[in-house]
Each structure stands twice: as C-alpha cells, then as structure tokens.
Amino acid sequence: MNHTFHLPDSSVFLGPLAETLPAWLRNRQYEQFFIITDRNTHAVCSGCLQLPGAVEFVVGGIGHAGTAGFVPEQLKTLQTCEQIWAAMLGARLDRRALVINLGGGVISDMGGFCAATYKRGLDFVQLPTSLLAMTDAAIGGKLGIDFHGVKNAIGVFKNPVAVFADPDFLKSLPARELRSGFAEIIKHALIGDPALWQKIQSLHPESIADGAALSAASWIDLLEASISVKTQVVTLDPHEHGIRALLNFGHTFGHAIESYFLPTADPLTHGEAVAMGMLCEALPSDGAGAVFPFEQDAEILRIIPGFFPCRPIPDSAFPAIWDLMLQDKKNKSGVVRLALPDAEPFSMRLQETSRADVERRLRRYNVLLAAAGEK
Ligand SMILES: NC(=O)c1ccc[n+]([C@@H]2O[C@H](COP(=O)([O-])OP(=O)(O)OC[C@H]3O[C@@H](n4cnc5c(N)ncnc54)[C@H](O)[C@@H]3O)[C@@H](O)[C@H]2O)c1
C-alpha cells in the first residue's frame, strides 16, 4: 500500500521503490545520476537501482557487509565530504544531475550536505534504508556532518526534492539497527501521537529486534504514524525557530552521550543514545516533578529500558558530557535548554538546565537502570 506525505517543497513516498521512483523520474529531465551509499547499503540495497550510467560513491569503500568494525558515524566528517565532492567533480556533475542518497541517516545527512553545497546546490533525493532514516533523518532537510567531536556541528537546511521510503529495505537491517530506529518512533509518539504511544506499549520488545516478528502491515502502520508526526512538525516550522525543537526531545543528552562514546571501542547507535537521552530528560530535575507527556504517563521509564540495552554512564564521563552539551544548538546565551514534550500533543516547553542538574539526572538515570536490571 502506498502513501504520500506532502511538505511545502518536497514529498515523502512510502511504498515499493520499484513503483514510486520510476513514476517520479518519468516526469523529470535529469541527465546524470550520482548515487551515494555506504559499504553495507552498496552491498545489500544498491541492486534495486537500475540507472544506466550512474556513478556511485561508496562511503567506507567496498568491503565485507556487516556492522562489525564499520561505523558510518565515524565517517560523517569533512574528510569524507572532500572525497565525495572530489568524486562529483570527477564525474563532471552539473545542475542537471540528481544525487541519490541510498543509506541510513549518516548517508542522508552527509550526502544531502554534499549535494546542497556542491556548485551551490544540486537536486537530491533521499532513499532511506534504515528504520531511523525512514522515520526521521531523511525527512525535513536538516543536513550536516560531525566536526571536532561535536555532532552535526556543520550543516545547512535544504529539503530533498523527494524522499522514497521502501519498508522492504528493513528486511536486511540488523536487529540492533531496527531497535535504534525505533527510538525515534517512540520520540514521535511521545511528542505528537498518543495513539501511537498506546500501541507501542502493547508491543513486545522482541518484536522490534526481530523485524520478521511484526507483519509488513504493522511496519507500514508504525512508519505512517511516525512519518506523519515528523512531516507535521517540519511543515509547521521548517527552520527550527520554534516547535521543531521538539524533535530534539532526548537529543540534548542523547547527542552528548553519542559523541562521548563515538571514539571508544564500543560506540552507541544514534537511537540507543537518544533512548538514553529521553530517559535522562524525562527524569525529575531539581525539586520539580518528572516530565511525562500525556497525563503524567510514567510508563516511559519502564518502556524505554525494556526496548533498549541502555548502558550506565560512569561518573568520570559527566564533565565531558556537560562540555558537549554546551555545544547544543538550542542553547541561548550559553544556557543549556532541554526541549520537553508538554501535556498536549505538539506542545513543548524549553527547560533550562545546569551542570549540577545534568549530573543529578545522570545519577538518577544510573539508579533507574540498576533498579530495572534487578527486576
Ligand atoms: N537530519 C535529521 O533530521 C536527523 C534525524 C535523526 C538522526 N539523524 C542522523 O542519522 C544518523 C543515524 O542514522 P542511522 O541510525 O540510519 O545510522 P547509519 O546511517 O549509520 O546506519 C546504521 C547502520 O545500518 C546499515 N544499514 C542501513 N540500511 C541498511 C539495510 N537496509 N540493510 C543492512 N544494513 C543497513 C548502515 O550501513 C549502518 O551500518 C546520525 O548521524 C544522526 O545524527 C539525522
């Protein structure tokens, strides 16, 4: 079943790529195609594209597929952009070219950034292949790369001309990556869709880690609901002057936690870090009650540790995590702010936080995990 979501200057097509992409291309005059993939999506997804003469750039190079030892986030850098821009020049791309980003969120963020900046901007489409990219990263035109250890420090806003989300790609996605994408679905439920949140509470965590345990129709329902929240928010506020910051729920802590673990031997996935961040941000702060959207629904503190293998955060990491939070884009005059869902769907409050509050939340988070582990 196909479904189309319309944004002011772009559309999101949910359905089989073999139907949606050729139909869309038929009415367009592109003369060159430049495909950006990563090692895994080159191996398992690029066969779906039949575009004679297309040039492909593979982030991480062609090699054995698999996530062991290959962390695309570590390649979401200026150095990789230089290689992509060089390949674009080598292919003599001009304004009649279409860039096709076939991959997870790293490819949609970095491939989109390279397309948006090369020769002042080429058209690009997002073909998200991970759950996280389908439901979130590929939609809304936030593009960029990590820089000097800070997540998404360099980037631009530019919408893709279209997004094509084909749930069939989820069949080859490893369990850990399925779960990772599910974190953004939980976030979308908590910020804008109480019915989706109810549905999530009825799911067994194993059904997400084992994609085959959910029917294709259930995946489509989850994707539809989640994409709907994202497209509504970015339509209301395309450049994040207001309500779009709500999509950052869990990310003030989450980005800092993800950046902290990225250079280690055991990096977190983006979704794992966001899940941990949502817990930290939903926990009670100084004297105030906990933040639970939708009529004080404390289930969030039970559901998230059930779905995600959240890891404890050592006290020794607290100073570095605070330093990373000082780089958050929502900060105002040096004050770090959390974007928290309020009682009504699509309502937000920005809560100021401090170093002491952040450390207290991290400690409470560790206590919560220990208690969840003992049950
Ligand atoms: N721009 C935005 O609005 C936005 C929103 C959320 C997240 N993001 C960004 O998205 C990134 C995370 O995205 P992600 O979780 O997709 O990470 P990712 O791009 O690293 O993909 C995860 C892993 O899955 C593999 N993979 C992807 N599709 C596959 C498939 N169909 N079969 C087999 N393997 C597959 C990849 O090769 C990679 O190893 C982060 O950089 C984050 O900052 C951006």
Side-chain angles (χ1 to χ4, degrees), residues 225-249:
S226 186
I227 293 172
S228 168
V229 171
K230 173 94 193 216
T231 51
Q232 285 180 70
V233 175
V234 299
T235 301
L236 286 170
D237 179 19
H239 296 110
E240 201 169 315
H241 297 307
I243 194 70
R244 184 163 180 171
L246 189 50
L247 292 170
N248 251 260
F249 173 47

PDB file of all heavy atoms in Angstrom, residues 225-249:
ATOM      1  N   ALA A 225       2.525   6.415  10.910  1.00  0.00           N
ATOM      2  CA  ALA A 225       2.244   7.268  12.063  1.00  0.00           C
ATOM      3  C   ALA A 225       3.455   8.139  12.391  1.00  0.00           C
ATOM      4  O   ALA A 225       3.334   9.339  12.656  1.00  0.00           O
ATOM      5  CB  ALA A 225       1.869   6.404  13.268  1.00  0.00           C
ATOM      6  N   SER A 226       4.626   7.533  12.337  1.00  0.00           N
ATOM      7  CA  SER A 226       5.829   8.250  12.727  1.00  0.00           C
ATOM      8  C   SER A 226       6.191   9.333  11.697  1.00  0.00           C
ATOM      9  O   SER A 226       6.518  10.475  12.047  1.00  0.00           O
ATOM     10  CB  SER A 226       6.957   7.226  12.873  1.00  0.00           C
ATOM     11  OG  SER A 226       8.086   7.834  13.370  1.00  0.00           O
ATOM     12  N   ILE A 227       6.124   8.973  10.416  1.00  0.00           N
ATOM     13  CA  ILE A 227       6.427   9.956   9.357  1.00  0.00           C
ATOM     14  C   ILE A 227       5.423  11.099   9.431  1.00  0.00           C
ATOM     15  O   ILE A 227       5.753  12.266   9.200  1.00  0.00           O
ATOM     16  CB  ILE A 227       6.399   9.278   7.959  1.00  0.00           C
ATOM     17  CG1 ILE A 227       7.559   8.284   7.829  1.00  0.00           C
ATOM     18  CG2 ILE A 227       6.465  10.326   6.848  1.00  0.00           C
ATOM     19  CD1 ILE A 227       7.537   7.423   6.570  1.00  0.00           C
ATOM     20  N   SER A 228       4.192  10.771   9.793  1.00  0.00           N
ATOM     21  CA  SER A 228       3.167  11.816   9.877  1.00  0.00           C
ATOM     22  C   SER A 228       3.535  12.857  10.947  1.00  0.00           C
ATOM     23  O   SER A 228       3.402  14.065  10.724  1.00  0.00           O
ATOM     24  CB  SER A 228       1.822  11.153  10.168  1.00  0.00           C
ATOM     25  OG  SER A 228       0.886  12.119  10.522  1.00  0.00           O
ATOM     26  N   VAL A 229       4.015  12.393  12.102  1.00  0.00           N
ATOM     27  CA  VAL A 229       4.421  13.352  13.148  1.00  0.00           C
ATOM     28  C   VAL A 229       5.570  14.221  12.632  1.00  0.00           C
ATOM     29  O   VAL A 229       5.547  15.447  12.733  1.00  0.00           O
ATOM     30  CB  VAL A 229       4.844  12.621  14.446  1.00  0.00           C
ATOM     31  CG1 VAL A 229       5.469  13.592  15.440  1.00  0.00           C
ATOM     32  CG2 VAL A 229       3.642  11.926  15.082  1.00  0.00           C
ATOM     33  N   LYS A 230       6.568  13.570  12.033  1.00  0.00           N
ATOM     34  CA  LYS A 230       7.737  14.342  11.573  1.00  0.00           C
ATOM     35  C   LYS A 230       7.329  15.366  10.515  1.00  0.00           C
ATOM     36  O   LYS A 230       7.741  16.530  10.560  1.00  0.00           O
ATOM     37  CB  LYS A 230       8.796  13.378  11.006  1.00  0.00           C
ATOM     38  CG  LYS A 230       9.974  14.074  10.351  1.00  0.00           C
ATOM     39  CD  LYS A 230      11.153  14.282  11.265  1.00  0.00           C
ATOM     40  CE  LYS A 230      12.185  15.242  10.700  1.00  0.00           C
ATOM     41  NZ  LYS A 230      13.554  14.925  10.999  1.00  0.00           N
ATOM     42  N   THR A 231       6.518  14.955   9.531  1.00  0.00           N
ATOM     43  CA  THR A 231       6.168  15.894   8.456  1.00  0.00           C
ATOM     44  C   THR A 231       5.300  17.036   9.005  1.00  0.00           C
ATOM     45  O   THR A 231       5.429  18.175   8.565  1.00  0.00           O
ATOM     46  CB  THR A 231       5.457  15.191   7.278  1.00  0.00           C
ATOM     47  OG1 THR A 231       4.376  14.413   7.776  1.00  0.00           O
ATOM     48  CG2 THR A 231       6.376  14.292   6.516  1.00  0.00           C
ATOM     49  N   GLN A 232       4.453  16.740   9.992  1.00  0.00           N
ATOM     50  CA  GLN A 232       3.642  17.826  10.561  1.00  0.00           C
ATOM     51  C   GLN A 232       4.526  18.864  11.243  1.00  0.00           C
ATOM     52  O   GLN A 232       4.343  20.067  11.079  1.00  0.00           O
ATOM     53  CB  GLN A 232       2.649  17.270  11.585  1.00  0.00           C
ATOM     54  CG  GLN A 232       1.465  16.538  10.949  1.00  0.00           C
ATOM     55  CD  GLN A 232       0.522  16.018  12.020  1.00  0.00           C
ATOM     56  OE1 GLN A 232      -0.159  16.784  12.674  1.00  0.00           O
ATOM     57  NE2 GLN A 232       0.485  14.704  12.193  1.00  0.00           N
ATOM     58  N   VAL A 233       5.510  18.386  12.004  1.00  0.00           N
ATOM     59  CA  VAL A 233       6.367  19.332  12.734  1.00  0.00           C
ATOM     60  C   VAL A 233       7.203  20.169  11.764  1.00  0.00           C
ATOM     61  O   VAL A 233       7.277  21.392  11.893  1.00  0.00           O
ATOM     62  CB  VAL A 233       7.279  18.597  13.743  1.00  0.00           C
ATOM     63  CG1 VAL A 233       8.254  19.562  14.396  1.00  0.00           C
ATOM     64  CG2 VAL A 233       6.445  17.909  14.811  1.00  0.00           C
ATOM     65  N   VAL A 234       7.807  19.520  10.756  1.00  0.00           N
ATOM     66  CA  VAL A 234       8.683  20.305   9.879  1.00  0.00           C
ATOM     67  C   VAL A 234       7.877  21.220   8.955  1.00  0.00           C
ATOM     68  O   VAL A 234       8.370  22.249   8.503  1.00  0.00           O
ATOM     69  CB  VAL A 234       9.686  19.438   9.069  1.00  0.00           C
ATOM     70  CG1 VAL A 234      10.599  18.661  10.000  1.00  0.00           C
ATOM     71  CG2 VAL A 234       9.007  18.506   8.112  1.00  0.00           C
ATOM     72  N   THR A 235       6.621  20.884   8.716  1.00  0.00           N
ATOM     73  CA  THR A 235       5.775  21.788   7.925  1.00  0.00           C
ATOM     74  C   THR A 235       5.458  23.044   8.733  1.00  0.00           C
ATOM     75  O   THR A 235       5.457  24.161   8.224  1.00  0.00           O
ATOM     76  CB  THR A 235       4.467  21.073   7.507  1.00  0.00           C
ATOM     77  OG1 THR A 235       4.822  19.929   6.743  1.00  0.00           O
ATOM     78  CG2 THR A 235       3.574  21.965   6.668  1.00  0.00           C
ATOM     79  N   LEU A 236       5.192  22.847  10.031  1.00  0.00           N
ATOM     80  CA  LEU A 236       4.875  23.990  10.898  1.00  0.00           C
ATOM     81  C   LEU A 236       6.068  24.925  11.059  1.00  0.00           C
ATOM     82  O   LEU A 236       5.910  26.141  11.149  1.00  0.00           O
ATOM     83  CB  LEU A 236       4.472  23.491  12.300  1.00  0.00           C
ATOM     84  CG  LEU A 236       3.093  22.854  12.445  1.00  0.00           C
ATOM     85  CD1 LEU A 236       2.968  22.195  13.818  1.00  0.00           C
ATOM     86  CD2 LEU A 236       2.003  23.910  12.264  1.00  0.00           C
ATOM     87  N   ASP A 237       7.272  24.336  11.092  1.00  0.00           N
ATOM     88  CA  ASP A 237       8.450  25.133  11.460  1.00  0.00           C
ATOM     89  C   ASP A 237       9.682  24.596  10.727  1.00  0.00           C
ATOM     90  O   ASP A 237      10.523  23.926  11.327  1.00  0.00           O
ATOM     91  CB  ASP A 237       8.637  25.027  12.993  1.00  0.00           C
ATOM     92  CG  ASP A 237       9.847  25.796  13.482  1.00  0.00           C
ATOM     93  OD1 ASP A 237      10.341  26.676  12.758  1.00  0.00           O
ATOM     94  OD2 ASP A 237      10.287  25.505  14.613  1.00  0.00           O
ATOM     95  N   PRO A 238       9.811  24.904   9.412  1.00  0.00           N
ATOM     96  CA  PRO A 238      10.873  24.273   8.619  1.00  0.00           C
ATOM     97  C   PRO A 238      12.285  24.570   9.119  1.00  0.00           C
ATOM     98  O   PRO A 238      13.169  23.739   8.975  1.00  0.00           O
ATOM     99  CB  PRO A 238      10.675  24.870   7.212  1.00  0.00           C
ATOM    100  CG  PRO A 238       9.340  25.533   7.213  1.00  0.00           C
ATOM    101  CD  PRO A 238       8.941  25.800   8.625  1.00  0.00           C
ATOM    102  N   HIS A 239      12.532  25.751   9.684  1.00  0.00           N
ATOM    103  CA  HIS A 239      13.917  26.107  10.031  1.00  0.00           C
ATOM    104  C   HIS A 239      14.175  26.169  11.528  1.00  0.00           C
ATOM    105  O   HIS A 239      15.106  26.826  11.987  1.00  0.00           O
ATOM    106  CB  HIS A 239      14.303  27.428   9.349  1.00  0.00           C
ATOM    107  CG  HIS A 239      14.299  27.316   7.865  1.00  0.00           C
ATOM    108  ND1 HIS A 239      13.366  27.924   7.071  1.00  0.00           N
ATOM    109  CD2 HIS A 239      15.090  26.603   7.039  1.00  0.00           C
ATOM    110  CE1 HIS A 239      13.597  27.603   5.806  1.00  0.00           C
ATOM    111  NE2 HIS A 239      14.637  26.796   5.765  1.00  0.00           N
ATOM    112  N   GLU A 240      13.323  25.531  12.296  1.00  0.00           N
ATOM    113  CA  GLU A 240      13.508  25.396  13.740  1.00  0.00           C
ATOM    114  C   GLU A 240      13.607  26.748  14.450  1.00  0.00           C
ATOM    115  O   GLU A 240      14.555  27.020  15.177  1.00  0.00           O
ATOM    116  CB  GLU A 240      14.745  24.536  14.043  1.00  0.00           C
ATOM    117  CG  GLU A 240      14.682  23.959  15.449  1.00  0.00           C
ATOM    118  CD  GLU A 240      15.735  22.885  15.729  1.00  0.00           C
ATOM    119  OE1 GLU A 240      15.942  21.998  14.881  1.00  0.00           O
ATOM    120  OE2 GLU A 240      16.315  22.929  16.806  1.00  0.00           O
ATOM    121  N   HIS A 241      12.603  27.567  14.220  1.00  0.00           N
ATOM    122  CA  HIS A 241      12.507  28.800  15.006  1.00  0.00           C
ATOM    123  C   HIS A 241      11.628  28.587  16.228  1.00  0.00           C
ATOM    124  O   HIS A 241      11.512  29.448  17.080  1.00  0.00           O
ATOM    125  CB  HIS A 241      11.940  29.941  14.152  1.00  0.00           C
ATOM    126  CG  HIS A 241      12.830  30.294  12.996  1.00  0.00           C
ATOM    127  ND1 HIS A 241      14.165  30.598  13.171  1.00  0.00           N
ATOM    128  CD2 HIS A 241      12.603  30.350  11.654  1.00  0.00           C
ATOM    129  CE1 HIS A 241      14.703  30.846  11.989  1.00  0.00           C
ATOM    130  NE2 HIS A 241      13.790  30.687  11.058  1.00  0.00           N
ATOM    131  N   GLY A 242      10.924  27.445  16.286  1.00  0.00           N
ATOM    132  CA  GLY A 242      10.012  27.215  17.400  1.00  0.00           C
ATOM    133  C   GLY A 242       9.801  25.731  17.637  1.00  0.00           C
ATOM    134  O   GLY A 242      10.715  25.015  18.064  1.00  0.00           O
ATOM    135  N   ILE A 243       8.593  25.257  17.255  1.00  0.00           N
ATOM    136  CA  ILE A 243       8.152  23.916  17.650  1.00  0.00           C
ATOM    137  C   ILE A 243       9.057  22.790  17.117  1.00  0.00           C
ATOM    138  O   ILE A 243       9.106  21.705  17.694  1.00  0.00           O
ATOM    139  CB  ILE A 243       6.670  23.691  17.209  1.00  0.00           C
ATOM    140  CG1 ILE A 243       6.053  22.474  17.881  1.00  0.00           C
ATOM    141  CG2 ILE A 243       6.540  23.597  15.698  1.00  0.00           C
ATOM    142  CD1 ILE A 243       5.792  22.634  19.357  1.00  0.00           C
ATOM    143  N   ARG A 244       9.816  23.049  16.044  1.00  0.00           N
ATOM    144  CA  ARG A 244      10.672  21.960  15.523  1.00  0.00           C
ATOM    145  C   ARG A 244      11.692  21.495  16.563  1.00  0.00           C
ATOM    146  O   ARG A 244      12.168  20.352  16.500  1.00  0.00           O
ATOM    147  CB  ARG A 244      11.369  22.397  14.228  1.00  0.00           C
ATOM    148  CG  ARG A 244      12.169  21.259  13.616  1.00  0.00           C
ATOM    149  CD  ARG A 244      12.547  21.465  12.179  1.00  0.00           C
ATOM    150  NE  ARG A 244      13.311  20.319  11.697  1.00  0.00           N
ATOM    151  CZ  ARG A 244      13.649  20.100  10.446  1.00  0.00           C
ATOM    152  NH1 ARG A 244      13.284  20.932   9.517  1.00  0.00           N
ATOM    153  NH2 ARG A 244      14.345  19.032  10.105  1.00  0.00           N
ATOM    154  N   ALA A 245      12.021  22.362  17.511  1.00  0.00           N
ATOM    155  CA  ALA A 245      12.974  21.961  18.557  1.00  0.00           C
ATOM    156  C   ALA A 245      12.450  20.754  19.335  1.00  0.00           C
ATOM    157  O   ALA A 245      13.226  20.006  19.940  1.00  0.00           O
ATOM    158  CB  ALA A 245      13.251  23.123  19.504  1.00  0.00           C
ATOM    159  N   LEU A 246      11.116  20.547  19.281  1.00  0.00           N
ATOM    160  CA  LEU A 246      10.529  19.406  19.995  1.00  0.00           C
ATOM    161  C   LEU A 246      11.067  18.067  19.466  1.00  0.00           C
ATOM    162  O   LEU A 246      11.123  17.076  20.191  1.00  0.00           O
ATOM    163  CB  LEU A 246       9.002  19.477  19.851  1.00  0.00           C
ATOM    164  CG  LEU A 246       8.129  18.536  20.667  1.00  0.00           C
ATOM    165  CD1 LEU A 246       8.491  18.548  22.139  1.00  0.00           C
ATOM    166  CD2 LEU A 246       6.655  18.903  20.483  1.00  0.00           C
ATOM    167  N   LEU A 247      11.463  18.065  18.189  1.00  0.00           N
ATOM    168  CA  LEU A 247      12.060  16.845  17.622  1.00  0.00           C
ATOM    169  C   LEU A 247      13.390  16.531  18.300  1.00  0.00           C
ATOM    170  O   LEU A 247      13.961  15.464  18.114  1.00  0.00           O
ATOM    171  CB  LEU A 247      12.283  17.006  16.109  1.00  0.00           C
ATOM    172  CG  LEU A 247      11.019  17.095  15.257  1.00  0.00           C
ATOM    173  CD1 LEU A 247      11.359  17.505  13.832  1.00  0.00           C
ATOM    174  CD2 LEU A 247      10.270  15.752  15.257  1.00  0.00           C
ATOM    175  N   ASN A 248      13.870  17.490  19.074  1.00  0.00           N
ATOM    176  CA  ASN A 248      15.113  17.313  19.802  1.00  0.00           C
ATOM    177  C   ASN A 248      14.922  16.687  21.166  1.00  0.00           C
ATOM    178  O   ASN A 248      15.885  16.553  21.928  1.00  0.00           O
ATOM    179  CB  ASN A 248      15.782  18.672  19.973  1.00  0.00           C
ATOM    180  CG  ASN A 248      17.006  18.782  19.116  1.00  0.00           C
ATOM    181  OD1 ASN A 248      18.107  18.604  19.613  1.00  0.00           O
ATOM    182  ND2 ASN A 248      16.817  19.044  17.837  1.00  0.00           N
ATOM    183  N   PHE A 249      13.675  16.331  21.508  1.00  0.00           N
ATOM    184  CA  PHE A 249      13.454  15.645  22.789  1.00  0.00           C
ATOM    185  C   PHE A 249      14.410  14.442  22.872  1.00  0.00           C
ATOM    186  O   PHE A 249      14.487  13.645  21.937  1.00  0.00           O
ATOM    187  CB  PHE A 249      11.987  15.194  22.896  1.00  0.00           C
ATOM    188  CG  PHE A 249      11.711  14.327  24.094  1.00  0.00           C
ATOM    189  CD1 PHE A 249      12.163  14.672  25.361  1.00  0.00           C
ATOM    190  CD2 PHE A 249      10.993  13.138  23.955  1.00  0.00           C
ATOM    191  CE1 PHE A 249      11.914  13.866  26.468  1.00  0.00           C
ATOM    192  CE2 PHE A 249      10.734  12.333  25.047  1.00  0.00           C
ATOM    193  CZ  PHE A 249      11.202  12.691  26.304  1.00  0.00           C
TER     194      PHE A 249
END
